Amino acid sequence: MLKSDPWARLRTAFDDDRDADTFFLRLERYGPDLQGSLRAVYGDRADPLFDRLIEVMLHAFHARPADLRRLDEARLLRPDWLQTPDMIGYIAYADRFAGTLKGVAEHLDYLQGLGVKYLHLMPLLKPRAGENDGGYAVQDYRAVREDLGTMDDLSALARGLRGRGVSLVLDLVLNHVAREHEWAEKARAGEPKYRDYFHIYPDRALPDAYERTLPEVFPDFAPGNFTWDDAAGGWVWTTFNAYQWDLNWANPDVFLEFADLILYLANRGVEVFRLDAIAFIWKRLGGASQNQPEVHHLTRALRAAARIVAPGVAFKAEAIVAPADLIHYLGTRSHHGKVSDMAYHNSLMVQIWSTLASRNTRLFEEALRAFPPKPTNTTWGMYVRCHDDIGWAISDEDAARAGLSGEAHRRFLSDFYSGEFPGSFARGLVFQFNPATGDRRISGSGASLAGLETALEAGDAGRVDDAVRRLLLAHAVVLGFGGVPLLYMGDELAMLNDSGFTEVPEHAPDNRWVHRPKMDWELAEKVATEPDSPAGRVNAGLRHLIRVRQDTPHLHASIESHVVPSPDGRVLLLRRDHPLGVMVQVYNFSEGEVDFPAHLLRDHLGEHATDLLGGSAFTFGHYPVHLEPYRALWLVSREVQG
């Protein structure tokens, strides 16, 4: 515990003893985590940094609005607020969804009607002009894109959302800033302080040494990891694009800048920060410069600082890495449950699409078994689709245990979802083909990848039925897995690929825009009056899944889903052990009918069970359980009165 004496001088900064007590109690609670991680990263530079950080935190604490302070107290009483079954997420680009931030505010009834309690608006802080990596090349973290509105509009939207119980989620790009950012401008002007904010080398000696082990993120249009800049007179580390300058987190000033930015945006009403490109922020010669131990110390320190000032705020790690690396973003050993509150379960998404293509769940089972248990106070973010491409993150080890070649299966999936594989139902585009590795990622909307686009073009009602069932099965897995299900804008309407993206010059080089269409509000209005249309069926089915989830305590995210070995390779079984009883989920990943052995379900649930999704009662006797194509069951034990 921290002693109070060292902070006696700071009490003069408070007019209210209760505020002082609140601040110092939180400092006593989170200060050891904060100081410990700073010392682990910065050594003897940590104590001066901590003193400066205290001043930043005090300023933000005093500036925190009263309604957000009340939210902080509520969250301290409900620390599992991100884990409850009624937490439904929605991801959208503000301009693609409704034009402006004020336009988003005009559609809150729609979001609330879907059950949304978590709204992630894709990058909206001011990016560089022109090409900007979809908004991830930020020029000013304290300003909103001019076409979307102002920072005051953002605060007003956050208040409106908060009044409806919806949390605003915002991207915070940690690894890099735009070349036009004020820090980079000052670095190019030769200011020593700001040159040390970046990795700038006078010649190719060190860049070439790093390049020997660094992967390429965008080999097609941004090969290499360093860019020569004439004004800076050096080679600048640019992992993603030439106009995105990587930051030097070994400099304590960079940490202080981001702590200040997080607290500023938290006071504007941001409740969840998506920590973009978090895996890349620490550089080390001789490796991939990803997932370094310092990354987790830095995240823990930022989280501790936020907990002191704004404990209503949560962190989500955007770390698309292997399971053995991913768990560290939620915390292991001394970091257990103290790093990020949430992380993307990218593997779940990959395995859903892999299994829909192969109609075989063995790899899915092996991939889930590879995940170590997460801290019980953290949660997964699960999704069927998102704004990004799909990279086939399938390990050779998992594939081998499933009797597959990892390389061959990844090649099959790229062929299948680009429509090149014979008999494929999918309509996707290859993104970033890397001849050296054979890596081919895939772009495409959920509906087009699930076969709806090709089925509609063929006028085949049976194939349309299959595509609708695939989409609903995929969402059932995501909604039932236990975490925060993240619905990607338009998936609730089964929106197809937007082939017109090539007509927008800044979008044309990046085919990920094929699955970033503008929201079809006309279609959103039609689904109620055209319930038999594909969009109407998907929308109604998804709303039903959400309603059932909201009423199912077994889906609290503190509980993990575990694989149950399935005797039928087409069927995935997941078990959840909740205090209210066992829940078993059954998913048929094929277009064929399956007669599933009843005794296996009886072993887990007893003789009687209820399917929460269909409302059906089951008695597990001698007859098998019949599963229609792409059928999902959420089974819980049912007591029968004698």
PDB file of all heavy atoms in Angstrom, residues 357-389:
ATOM      1  N   ALA A 357     -16.803 -23.779 -44.706  1.00  0.00           N
ATOM      2  CA  ALA A 357     -16.263 -24.222 -45.994  1.00  0.00           C
ATOM      3  C   ALA A 357     -15.995 -25.716 -46.006  1.00  0.00           C
ATOM      4  O   ALA A 357     -16.314 -26.418 -46.977  1.00  0.00           O
ATOM      5  CB  ALA A 357     -14.976 -23.461 -46.308  1.00  0.00           C
ATOM      6  N   SER A 358     -15.414 -26.243 -44.914  1.00  0.00           N
ATOM      7  CA  SER A 358     -15.002 -27.647 -44.890  1.00  0.00           C
ATOM      8  C   SER A 358     -16.109 -28.595 -44.449  1.00  0.00           C
ATOM      9  O   SER A 358     -16.043 -29.805 -44.711  1.00  0.00           O
ATOM     10  CB  SER A 358     -13.812 -27.814 -43.949  1.00  0.00           C
ATOM     11  OG  SER A 358     -14.210 -27.604 -42.597  1.00  0.00           O
ATOM     12  N   ARG A 359     -17.119 -28.041 -43.762  1.00  0.00           N
ATOM     13  CA  ARG A 359     -18.192 -28.858 -43.155  1.00  0.00           C
ATOM     14  C   ARG A 359     -17.613 -29.866 -42.161  1.00  0.00           C
ATOM     15  O   ARG A 359     -18.179 -30.921 -41.925  1.00  0.00           O
ATOM     16  CB  ARG A 359     -19.003 -29.624 -44.201  1.00  0.00           C
ATOM     17  CG  ARG A 359     -19.980 -28.777 -45.004  1.00  0.00           C
ATOM     18  CD  ARG A 359     -19.324 -28.053 -46.136  1.00  0.00           C
ATOM     19  NE  ARG A 359     -20.304 -27.665 -47.165  1.00  0.00           N
ATOM     20  CZ  ARG A 359     -19.982 -26.966 -48.246  1.00  0.00           C
ATOM     21  NH1 ARG A 359     -18.728 -26.585 -48.439  1.00  0.00           N
ATOM     22  NH2 ARG A 359     -20.913 -26.661 -49.127  1.00  0.00           N
ATOM     23  N   ASN A 360     -16.495 -29.525 -41.566  1.00  0.00           N
ATOM     24  CA  ASN A 360     -15.852 -30.425 -40.612  1.00  0.00           C
ATOM     25  C   ASN A 360     -15.356 -29.615 -39.417  1.00  0.00           C
ATOM     26  O   ASN A 360     -14.649 -28.623 -39.593  1.00  0.00           O
ATOM     27  CB  ASN A 360     -14.686 -31.158 -41.274  1.00  0.00           C
ATOM     28  CG  ASN A 360     -14.163 -32.276 -40.401  1.00  0.00           C
ATOM     29  OD1 ASN A 360     -13.624 -32.040 -39.333  1.00  0.00           O
ATOM     30  ND2 ASN A 360     -14.327 -33.518 -40.857  1.00  0.00           N
ATOM     31  N   THR A 361     -15.726 -30.058 -38.212  1.00  0.00           N
ATOM     32  CA  THR A 361     -15.463 -29.280 -36.997  1.00  0.00           C
ATOM     33  C   THR A 361     -14.179 -29.673 -36.274  1.00  0.00           C
ATOM     34  O   THR A 361     -13.881 -29.120 -35.221  1.00  0.00           O
ATOM     35  CB  THR A 361     -16.639 -29.431 -36.008  1.00  0.00           C
ATOM     36  OG1 THR A 361     -16.726 -30.796 -35.578  1.00  0.00           O
ATOM     37  CG2 THR A 361     -17.952 -29.010 -36.648  1.00  0.00           C
ATOM     38  N   ARG A 362     -13.416 -30.637 -36.803  1.00  0.00           N
ATOM     39  CA  ARG A 362     -12.246 -31.117 -36.064  1.00  0.00           C
ATOM     40  C   ARG A 362     -11.220 -30.007 -35.816  1.00  0.00           C
ATOM     41  O   ARG A 362     -10.665 -29.888 -34.721  1.00  0.00           O
ATOM     42  CB  ARG A 362     -11.584 -32.274 -36.818  1.00  0.00           C
ATOM     43  CG  ARG A 362     -12.451 -33.498 -36.968  1.00  0.00           C
ATOM     44  CD  ARG A 362     -12.801 -34.097 -35.597  1.00  0.00           C
ATOM     45  NE  ARG A 362     -13.596 -35.318 -35.741  1.00  0.00           N
ATOM     46  CZ  ARG A 362     -14.715 -35.553 -35.082  1.00  0.00           C
ATOM     47  NH1 ARG A 362     -15.190 -34.650 -34.234  1.00  0.00           N
ATOM     48  NH2 ARG A 362     -15.380 -36.671 -35.256  1.00  0.00           N
ATOM     49  N   LEU A 363     -10.934 -29.207 -36.815  1.00  0.00           N
ATOM     50  CA  LEU A 363      -9.976 -28.115 -36.648  1.00  0.00           C
ATOM     51  C   LEU A 363     -10.510 -27.087 -35.663  1.00  0.00           C
ATOM     52  O   LEU A 363      -9.753 -26.540 -34.841  1.00  0.00           O
ATOM     53  CB  LEU A 363      -9.681 -27.465 -38.000  1.00  0.00           C
ATOM     54  CG  LEU A 363      -8.700 -26.289 -37.969  1.00  0.00           C
ATOM     55  CD1 LEU A 363      -7.356 -26.697 -37.390  1.00  0.00           C
ATOM     56  CD2 LEU A 363      -8.524 -25.723 -39.386  1.00  0.00           C
ATOM     57  N   PHE A 364     -11.804 -26.802 -35.732  1.00  0.00           N
ATOM     58  CA  PHE A 364     -12.447 -25.883 -34.792  1.00  0.00           C
ATOM     59  C   PHE A 364     -12.204 -26.370 -33.362  1.00  0.00           C
ATOM     60  O   PHE A 364     -11.799 -25.604 -32.473  1.00  0.00           O
ATOM     61  CB  PHE A 364     -13.947 -25.824 -35.089  1.00  0.00           C
ATOM     62  CG  PHE A 364     -14.634 -24.547 -34.665  1.00  0.00           C
ATOM     63  CD1 PHE A 364     -15.745 -24.093 -35.371  1.00  0.00           C
ATOM     64  CD2 PHE A 364     -14.202 -23.812 -33.572  1.00  0.00           C
ATOM     65  CE1 PHE A 364     -16.403 -22.924 -34.998  1.00  0.00           C
ATOM     66  CE2 PHE A 364     -14.854 -22.642 -33.192  1.00  0.00           C
ATOM     67  CZ  PHE A 364     -15.951 -22.198 -33.898  1.00  0.00           C
ATOM     68  N   GLU A 365     -12.422 -27.654 -33.126  1.00  0.00           N
ATOM     69  CA  GLU A 365     -12.220 -28.213 -31.792  1.00  0.00           C
ATOM     70  C   GLU A 365     -10.776 -28.041 -31.334  1.00  0.00           C
ATOM     71  O   GLU A 365     -10.517 -27.623 -30.191  1.00  0.00           O
ATOM     72  CB  GLU A 365     -12.570 -29.706 -31.796  1.00  0.00           C
ATOM     73  CG  GLU A 365     -14.046 -30.012 -31.986  1.00  0.00           C
ATOM     74  CD  GLU A 365     -14.333 -31.508 -31.984  1.00  0.00           C
ATOM     75  OE1 GLU A 365     -13.367 -32.301 -31.946  1.00  0.00           O
ATOM     76  OE2 GLU A 365     -15.518 -31.876 -32.017  1.00  0.00           O
ATOM     77  N   GLU A 366      -9.841 -28.349 -32.207  1.00  0.00           N
ATOM     78  CA  GLU A 366      -8.429 -28.257 -31.828  1.00  0.00           C
ATOM     79  C   GLU A 366      -8.018 -26.810 -31.566  1.00  0.00           C
ATOM     80  O   GLU A 366      -7.254 -26.531 -30.633  1.00  0.00           O
ATOM     81  CB  GLU A 366      -7.544 -28.861 -32.927  1.00  0.00           C
ATOM     82  CG  GLU A 366      -7.717 -30.355 -33.117  1.00  0.00           C
ATOM     83  CD  GLU A 366      -7.378 -31.145 -31.862  1.00  0.00           C
ATOM     84  OE1 GLU A 366      -6.573 -30.666 -31.043  1.00  0.00           O
ATOM     85  OE2 GLU A 366      -7.933 -32.258 -31.690  1.00  0.00           O
ATOM     86  N   ALA A 367      -8.523 -25.882 -32.372  1.00  0.00           N
ATOM     87  CA  ALA A 367      -8.174 -24.473 -32.178  1.00  0.00           C
ATOM     88  C   ALA A 367      -8.681 -23.955 -30.838  1.00  0.00           C
ATOM     89  O   ALA A 367      -7.976 -23.224 -30.131  1.00  0.00           O
ATOM     90  CB  ALA A 367      -8.740 -23.634 -33.323  1.00  0.00           C
ATOM     91  N   LEU A 368      -9.911 -24.317 -30.459  1.00  0.00           N
ATOM     92  CA  LEU A 368     -10.450 -23.854 -29.185  1.00  0.00           C
ATOM     93  C   LEU A 368      -9.713 -24.485 -28.012  1.00  0.00           C
ATOM     94  O   LEU A 368      -9.506 -23.847 -26.974  1.00  0.00           O
ATOM     95  CB  LEU A 368     -11.942 -24.165 -29.104  1.00  0.00           C
ATOM     96  CG  LEU A 368     -12.862 -23.343 -30.014  1.00  0.00           C
ATOM     97  CD1 LEU A 368     -14.319 -23.703 -29.754  1.00  0.00           C
ATOM     98  CD2 LEU A 368     -12.649 -21.839 -29.818  1.00  0.00           C
ATOM     99  N   ARG A 369      -9.302 -25.727 -28.159  1.00  0.00           N
ATOM    100  CA  ARG A 369      -8.561 -26.379 -27.068  1.00  0.00           C
ATOM    101  C   ARG A 369      -7.206 -25.703 -26.834  1.00  0.00           C
ATOM    102  O   ARG A 369      -6.643 -25.808 -25.740  1.00  0.00           O
ATOM    103  CB  ARG A 369      -8.351 -27.854 -27.385  1.00  0.00           C
ATOM    104  CG  ARG A 369      -9.605 -28.708 -27.243  1.00  0.00           C
ATOM    105  CD  ARG A 369      -9.248 -30.189 -27.210  1.00  0.00           C
ATOM    106  NE  ARG A 369     -10.455 -31.002 -27.296  1.00  0.00           N
ATOM    107  CZ  ARG A 369     -10.892 -31.582 -28.411  1.00  0.00           C
ATOM    108  NH1 ARG A 369     -10.206 -31.448 -29.532  1.00  0.00           N
ATOM    109  NH2 ARG A 369     -11.995 -32.303 -28.410  1.00  0.00           N
ATOM    110  N   ALA A 370      -6.682 -25.050 -27.849  1.00  0.00           N
ATOM    111  CA  ALA A 370      -5.363 -24.419 -27.726  1.00  0.00           C
ATOM    112  C   ALA A 370      -5.394 -23.160 -26.872  1.00  0.00           C
ATOM    113  O   ALA A 370      -4.343 -22.674 -26.455  1.00  0.00           O
ATOM    114  CB  ALA A 370      -4.820 -24.077 -29.118  1.00  0.00           C
ATOM    115  N   PHE A 371      -6.599 -22.634 -26.607  1.00  0.00           N
ATOM    116  CA  PHE A 371      -6.692 -21.390 -25.848  1.00  0.00           C
ATOM    117  C   PHE A 371      -6.537 -21.661 -24.353  1.00  0.00           C
ATOM    118  O   PHE A 371      -7.296 -22.435 -23.781  1.00  0.00           O
ATOM    119  CB  PHE A 371      -8.036 -20.699 -26.101  1.00  0.00           C
ATOM    120  CG  PHE A 371      -8.012 -19.772 -27.273  1.00  0.00           C
ATOM    121  CD1 PHE A 371      -8.079 -20.271 -28.566  1.00  0.00           C
ATOM    122  CD2 PHE A 371      -7.890 -18.407 -27.096  1.00  0.00           C
ATOM    123  CE1 PHE A 371      -8.035 -19.427 -29.650  1.00  0.00           C
ATOM    124  CE2 PHE A 371      -7.844 -17.552 -28.179  1.00  0.00           C
ATOM    125  CZ  PHE A 371      -7.918 -18.051 -29.458  1.00  0.00           C
ATOM    126  N   PRO A 372      -5.567 -21.007 -23.704  1.00  0.00           N
ATOM    127  CA  PRO A 372      -5.494 -21.103 -22.247  1.00  0.00           C
ATOM    128  C   PRO A 372      -6.667 -20.361 -21.624  1.00  0.00           C
ATOM    129  O   PRO A 372      -7.258 -19.472 -22.263  1.00  0.00           O
ATOM    130  CB  PRO A 372      -4.163 -20.424 -21.906  1.00  0.00           C
ATOM    131  CG  PRO A 372      -3.890 -19.521 -23.060  1.00  0.00           C
ATOM    132  CD  PRO A 372      -4.524 -20.146 -24.275  1.00  0.00           C
ATOM    133  N   PRO A 373      -7.047 -20.695 -20.386  1.00  0.00           N
ATOM    134  CA  PRO A 373      -8.171 -19.990 -19.757  1.00  0.00           C
ATOM    135  C   PRO A 373      -7.850 -18.518 -19.547  1.00  0.00           C
ATOM    136  O   PRO A 373      -6.729 -18.154 -19.174  1.00  0.00           O
ATOM    137  CB  PRO A 373      -8.354 -20.728 -18.426  1.00  0.00           C
ATOM    138  CG  PRO A 373      -7.060 -21.425 -18.185  1.00  0.00           C
ATOM    139  CD  PRO A 373      -6.499 -21.744 -19.524  1.00  0.00           C
ATOM    140  N   LYS A 374      -8.821 -17.681 -19.803  1.00  0.00           N
ATOM    141  CA  LYS A 374      -8.642 -16.242 -19.614  1.00  0.00           C
ATOM    142  C   LYS A 374      -8.944 -15.865 -18.164  1.00  0.00           C
ATOM    143  O   LYS A 374      -9.632 -16.609 -17.457  1.00  0.00           O
ATOM    144  CB  LYS A 374      -9.570 -15.467 -20.553  1.00  0.00           C
ATOM    145  CG  LYS A 374     -11.036 -15.631 -20.230  1.00  0.00           C
ATOM    146  CD  LYS A 374     -11.909 -14.728 -21.062  1.00  0.00           C
ATOM    147  CE  LYS A 374     -13.381 -14.890 -20.694  1.00  0.00           C
ATOM    148  NZ  LYS A 374     -13.665 -14.593 -19.278  1.00  0.00           N
ATOM    149  N   PRO A 375      -8.464 -14.701 -17.697  1.00  0.00           N
ATOM    150  CA  PRO A 375      -8.868 -14.220 -16.374  1.00  0.00           C
ATOM    151  C   PRO A 375     -10.388 -14.062 -16.310  1.00  0.00           C
ATOM    152  O   PRO A 375     -11.016 -13.613 -17.277  1.00  0.00           O
ATOM    153  CB  PRO A 375      -8.159 -12.859 -16.269  1.00  0.00           C
ATOM    154  CG  PRO A 375      -7.003 -12.956 -17.206  1.00  0.00           C
ATOM    155  CD  PRO A 375      -7.477 -13.806 -18.341  1.00  0.00           C
ATOM    156  N   THR A 376     -10.974 -14.407 -15.188  1.00  0.00           N
ATOM    157  CA  THR A 376     -12.439 -14.410 -15.096  1.00  0.00           C
ATOM    158  C   THR A 376     -13.037 -13.006 -15.140  1.00  0.00           C
ATOM    159  O   THR A 376     -14.234 -12.862 -15.379  1.00  0.00           O
ATOM    160  CB  THR A 376     -12.903 -15.113 -13.808  1.00  0.00           C
ATOM    161  OG1 THR A 376     -12.300 -14.470 -12.679  1.00  0.00           O
ATOM    162  CG2 THR A 376     -12.521 -16.580 -13.825  1.00  0.00           C
ATOM    163  N   ASN A 377     -12.234 -11.967 -14.906  1.00  0.00           N
ATOM    164  CA  ASN A 377     -12.759 -10.601 -14.949  1.00  0.00           C
ATOM    165  C   ASN A 377     -12.622  -9.971 -16.331  1.00  0.00           C
ATOM    166  O   ASN A 377     -12.881  -8.784 -16.506  1.00  0.00           O
ATOM    167  CB  ASN A 377     -12.061  -9.719 -13.914  1.00  0.00           C
ATOM    168  CG  ASN A 377     -10.581  -9.520 -14.209  1.00  0.00           C
ATOM    169  OD1 ASN A 377      -9.922 -10.422 -14.723  1.00  0.00           O
ATOM    170  ND2 ASN A 377     -10.045  -8.361 -13.882  1.00  0.00           N
ATOM    171  N   THR A 378     -12.214 -10.753 -17.320  1.00  0.00           N
ATOM    172  CA  THR A 378     -12.055 -10.237 -18.675  1.00  0.00           C
ATOM    173  C   THR A 378     -13.066 -10.899 -19.601  1.00  0.00           C
ATOM    174  O   THR A 378     -13.770 -11.834 -19.213  1.00  0.00           O
ATOM    175  CB  THR A 378     -10.630 -10.497 -19.199  1.00  0.00           C
ATOM    176  OG1 THR A 378     -10.408 -11.909 -19.282  1.00  0.00           O
ATOM    177  CG2 THR A 378      -9.590  -9.873 -18.280  1.00  0.00           C
ATOM    178  N   THR A 379     -13.104 -10.420 -20.825  1.00  0.00           N
ATOM    179  CA  THR A 379     -14.102 -10.937 -21.765  1.00  0.00           C
ATOM    180  C   THR A 379     -13.535 -10.963 -23.172  1.00  0.00           C
ATOM    181  O   THR A 379     -12.563 -10.266 -23.487  1.00  0.00           O
ATOM    182  CB  THR A 379     -15.381 -10.080 -21.716  1.00  0.00           C
ATOM    183  OG1 THR A 379     -16.408 -10.711 -22.461  1.00  0.00           O
ATOM    184  CG2 THR A 379     -15.159  -8.689 -22.266  1.00  0.00           C
ATOM    185  N   TRP A 380     -14.147 -11.781 -24.015  1.00  0.00           N
ATOM    186  CA  TRP A 380     -13.794 -11.818 -25.426  1.00  0.00           C
ATOM    187  C   TRP A 380     -14.716 -10.912 -26.227  1.00  0.00           C
ATOM    188  O   TRP A 380     -15.890 -10.763 -25.891  1.00  0.00           O
ATOM    189  CB  TRP A 380     -13.926 -13.244 -25.982  1.00  0.00           C
ATOM    190  CG  TRP A 380     -12.971 -14.244 -25.427  1.00  0.00           C
ATOM    191  CD1 TRP A 380     -13.281 -15.366 -24.708  1.00  0.00           C
ATOM    192  CD2 TRP A 380     -11.548 -14.244 -25.548  1.00  0.00           C
ATOM    193  NE1 TRP A 380     -12.138 -16.054 -24.378  1.00  0.00           N
ATOM    194  CE2 TRP A 380     -11.058 -15.386 -24.889  1.00  0.00           C
ATOM    195  CE3 TRP A 380     -10.632 -13.378 -26.156  1.00  0.00           C
ATOM    196  CZ2 TRP A 380      -9.700 -15.688 -24.813  1.00  0.00           C
ATOM    197  CZ3 TRP A 380      -9.273 -13.680 -26.087  1.00  0.00           C
ATOM    198  CH2 TRP A 380      -8.822 -14.823 -25.423  1.00  0.00           C
ATOM    199  N   GLY A 381     -14.189 -10.348 -27.296  1.00  0.00           N
ATOM    200  CA  GLY A 381     -15.005  -9.711 -28.313  1.00  0.00           C
ATOM    201  C   GLY A 381     -15.085 -10.669 -29.494  1.00  0.00           C
ATOM    202  O   GLY A 381     -14.050 -11.020 -30.087  1.00  0.00           O
ATOM    203  N   MET A 382     -16.303 -11.138 -29.810  1.00  0.00           N
ATOM    204  CA  MET A 382     -16.470 -12.128 -30.878  1.00  0.00           C
ATOM    205  C   MET A 382     -17.262 -11.525 -32.028  1.00  0.00           C
ATOM    206  O   MET A 382     -18.137 -10.704 -31.804  1.00  0.00           O
ATOM    207  CB  MET A 382     -17.207 -13.372 -30.371  1.00  0.00           C
ATOM    208  CG  MET A 382     -16.549 -14.070 -29.201  1.00  0.00           C
ATOM    209  SD  MET A 382     -17.159 -13.397 -27.678  1.00  0.00           S
ATOM    210  CE  MET A 382     -18.901 -13.612 -27.876  1.00  0.00           C
ATOM    211  N   TYR A 383     -16.964 -11.990 -33.241  1.00  0.00           N
ATOM    212  CA  TYR A 383     -17.604 -11.391 -34.406  1.00  0.00           C
ATOM    213  C   TYR A 383     -17.613 -12.378 -35.560  1.00  0.00           C
ATOM    214  O   TYR A 383     -16.759 -13.266 -35.657  1.00  0.00           O
ATOM    215  CB  TYR A 383     -16.892 -10.106 -34.819  1.00  0.00           C
ATOM    216  CG  TYR A 383     -15.390 -10.254 -35.002  1.00  0.00           C
ATOM    217  CD1 TYR A 383     -14.821 -10.345 -36.268  1.00  0.00           C
ATOM    218  CD2 TYR A 383     -14.537 -10.301 -33.902  1.00  0.00           C
ATOM    219  CE1 TYR A 383     -13.460 -10.482 -36.443  1.00  0.00           C
ATOM    220  CE2 TYR A 383     -13.171 -10.438 -34.058  1.00  0.00           C
ATOM    221  CZ  TYR A 383     -12.636 -10.536 -35.330  1.00  0.00           C
ATOM    222  OH  TYR A 383     -11.270 -10.676 -35.487  1.00  0.00           O
ATOM    223  N   VAL A 384     -18.608 -12.226 -36.426  1.00  0.00           N
ATOM    224  CA  VAL A 384     -18.662 -12.995 -37.666  1.00  0.00           C
ATOM    225  C   VAL A 384     -17.863 -12.277 -38.747  1.00  0.00           C
ATOM    226  O   VAL A 384     -17.113 -12.894 -39.506  1.00  0.00           O
ATOM    227  CB  VAL A 384     -20.128 -13.206 -38.112  1.00  0.00           C
ATOM    228  CG1 VAL A 384     -20.197 -13.842 -39.502  1.00  0.00           C
ATOM    229  CG2 VAL A 384     -20.866 -14.072 -37.092  1.00  0.00           C
ATOM    230  N   ARG A 385     -18.042 -10.960 -38.819  1.00  0.00           N
ATOM    231  CA  ARG A 385     -17.265 -10.119 -39.740  1.00  0.00           C
ATOM    232  C   ARG A 385     -16.918  -8.819 -39.043  1.00  0.00           C
ATOM    233  O   ARG A 385     -17.533  -8.445 -38.038  1.00  0.00           O
ATOM    234  CB  ARG A 385     -18.053  -9.816 -41.032  1.00  0.00           C
ATOM    235  CG  ARG A 385     -18.095 -10.931 -42.021  1.00  0.00           C
ATOM    236  CD  ARG A 385     -16.715 -11.362 -42.549  1.00  0.00           C
ATOM    237  NE  ARG A 385     -16.117 -10.407 -43.457  1.00  0.00           N
ATOM    238  CZ  ARG A 385     -14.937  -9.817 -43.248  1.00  0.00           C
ATOM    239  NH1 ARG A 385     -14.253 -10.019 -42.145  1.00  0.00           N
ATOM    240  NH2 ARG A 385     -14.430  -8.989 -44.137  1.00  0.00           N
ATOM    241  N   CYS A 386     -15.922  -8.144 -39.610  1.00  0.00           N
ATOM    242  CA  CYS A 386     -15.566  -6.812 -39.124  1.00  0.00           C
ATOM    243  C   CYS A 386     -15.125  -5.996 -40.331  1.00  0.00           C
ATOM    244  O   CYS A 386     -15.277  -6.423 -41.480  1.00  0.00           O
ATOM    245  CB  CYS A 386     -14.475  -6.888 -38.054  1.00  0.00           C
ATOM    246  SG  CYS A 386     -12.861  -7.404 -38.681  1.00  0.00           S
ATOM    247  N   HIS A 387     -14.559  -4.829 -40.088  1.00  0.00           N
ATOM    248  CA  HIS A 387     -14.157  -3.935 -41.176  1.00  0.00           C
ATOM    249  C   HIS A 387     -12.938  -4.445 -41.930  1.00  0.00           C
ATOM    250  O   HIS A 387     -12.629  -3.979 -43.021  1.00  0.00           O
ATOM    251  CB  HIS A 387     -13.816  -2.557 -40.600  1.00  0.00           C
ATOM    252  CG  HIS A 387     -12.504  -2.536 -39.878  1.00  0.00           C
ATOM    253  ND1 HIS A 387     -12.329  -3.158 -38.657  1.00  0.00           N
ATOM    254  CD2 HIS A 387     -11.299  -2.007 -40.208  1.00  0.00           C
ATOM    255  CE1 HIS A 387     -11.082  -3.002 -38.264  1.00  0.00           C
ATOM    256  NE2 HIS A 387     -10.437  -2.321 -39.185  1.00  0.00           N
ATOM    257  N   ASP A 388     -12.215  -5.405 -41.331  1.00  0.00           N
ATOM    258  CA  ASP A 388     -10.926  -5.819 -41.866  1.00  0.00           C
ATOM    259  C   ASP A 388     -11.072  -7.049 -42.757  1.00  0.00           C
ATOM    260  O   ASP A 388     -12.135  -7.674 -42.835  1.00  0.00           O
ATOM    261  CB  ASP A 388      -9.969  -6.113 -40.714  1.00  0.00           C
ATOM    262  CG  ASP A 388      -8.566  -5.586 -40.972  1.00  0.00           C
ATOM    263  OD1 ASP A 388      -8.231  -5.355 -42.154  1.00  0.00           O
ATOM    264  OD2 ASP A 388      -7.812  -5.405 -40.003  1.00  0.00           O
ATOM    265  N   ASP A 389      -9.976  -7.397 -43.404  1.00  0.00           N
ATOM    266  CA  ASP A 389      -9.926  -8.637 -44.173  1.00  0.00           C
ATOM    267  C   ASP A 389      -9.898  -9.827 -43.223  1.00  0.00           C
ATOM    268  O   ASP A 389      -9.731  -9.681 -42.009  1.00  0.00           O
ATOM    269  CB  ASP A 389      -8.669  -8.641 -45.044  1.00  0.00           C
ATOM    270  CG  ASP A 389      -7.408  -8.475 -44.197  1.00  0.00           C
ATOM    271  OD1 ASP A 389      -7.075  -7.322 -43.829  1.00  0.00           O
ATOM    272  OD2 ASP A 389      -6.764  -9.496 -43.886  1.00  0.00           O
TER     273      ASP A 389
END
